[in-house]
Amino acid sequence: MKFLCIDCDEVMTFAERELPGDGTLAAVFECPDCGREMAMLTNPMETKLVSGLGIQVGGRTVPDQPLELVRSSVTTGDEQAFADLPLTAGTVRWSEAAAERLQGVPGFVRGMVKKIYGEYAVERGIEEITPEIMDRARQDLGLEGM
Ligand SMILES: [Zn+2]
């Protein structure tokens, strides 16, 4: 399966893939020439079909990120703070570096990615998302290499 940029007659390259965990799949492709992006969405049934055929959408064209994870640096917050300020995916703070990194995610999936990290943080009582938390979430949620 390939996508072509009609204007440039170029094969679009894989830019980003997300598996939100609800069975849907989102893949973003980019034209190497003009930079135009397009996204493909599949519903759970289509995702299953694609997986069943053994097709790796986009392949592993994104190199693995170096492991920046430092487990001991992760703060989980204490019970008291948790009680005073109920955390939701929407109230979790994003450090400047983490927010900057989020901007690197294609706009199409950014909201979804932000929600995934937000919910990850809430489940663990993490009040601020940092790049280290993002790395840890990627690993824990099996998003590594996608
Ligand atoms: Zn193009």
Side-chain angles (χ1 to χ4, degrees), residues 69 116-118 120-121 124 126 129-144:
L69 176 70
I116 290 170
Y117 285 128
Y120 174 89
R124 287 153 184 84
I126 297 164
I129 295 171
T130 63
E132 287 74 26
I133 297 290
M134 293 170 83
D135 286 335
R136 185 178 173 183
R138 284 176 73 91
Q139 197 174 54
D140 287 357
L141 300 174
L143 296 171
E144 209 70 56

Side-chain angles (χ1 to χ4, degrees), residues 13-84:
T13 56
F14 168 75
E16 179 89 24
R17 182 177 74 169
E18 291 295 335
L19 291 165
D22 60 1
T24 62
L25 179 147
V28 177
F29 295 83
E30 189 178 42
C31 173
D33 234 33
C34 67
R36 178 179 298 173
E37 288 182 337
M38 65 158 292
M40 183 188 74
L41 270 179
T42 62
N43 66 30
M45 204 177 72
E46 291 161 343
T47 303
K48 203 175 166 190
L49 178 70
V50 168
S51 305
L53 291 172
I55 297 168
Q56 286 211 325
V57 177
R60 291 182 60 111
T61 57
V62 177
D64 284 335
Q65 300 295 313
L67 192 68
E68 301 164 22
L69 176 70
V70 183
R71 285 186 188 278
S72 59
S73 74
V74 176
T75 52
T76 53
D78 59 53
E79 291 298 320
Q80 206 55 46
F82 195 73
D84 289 341

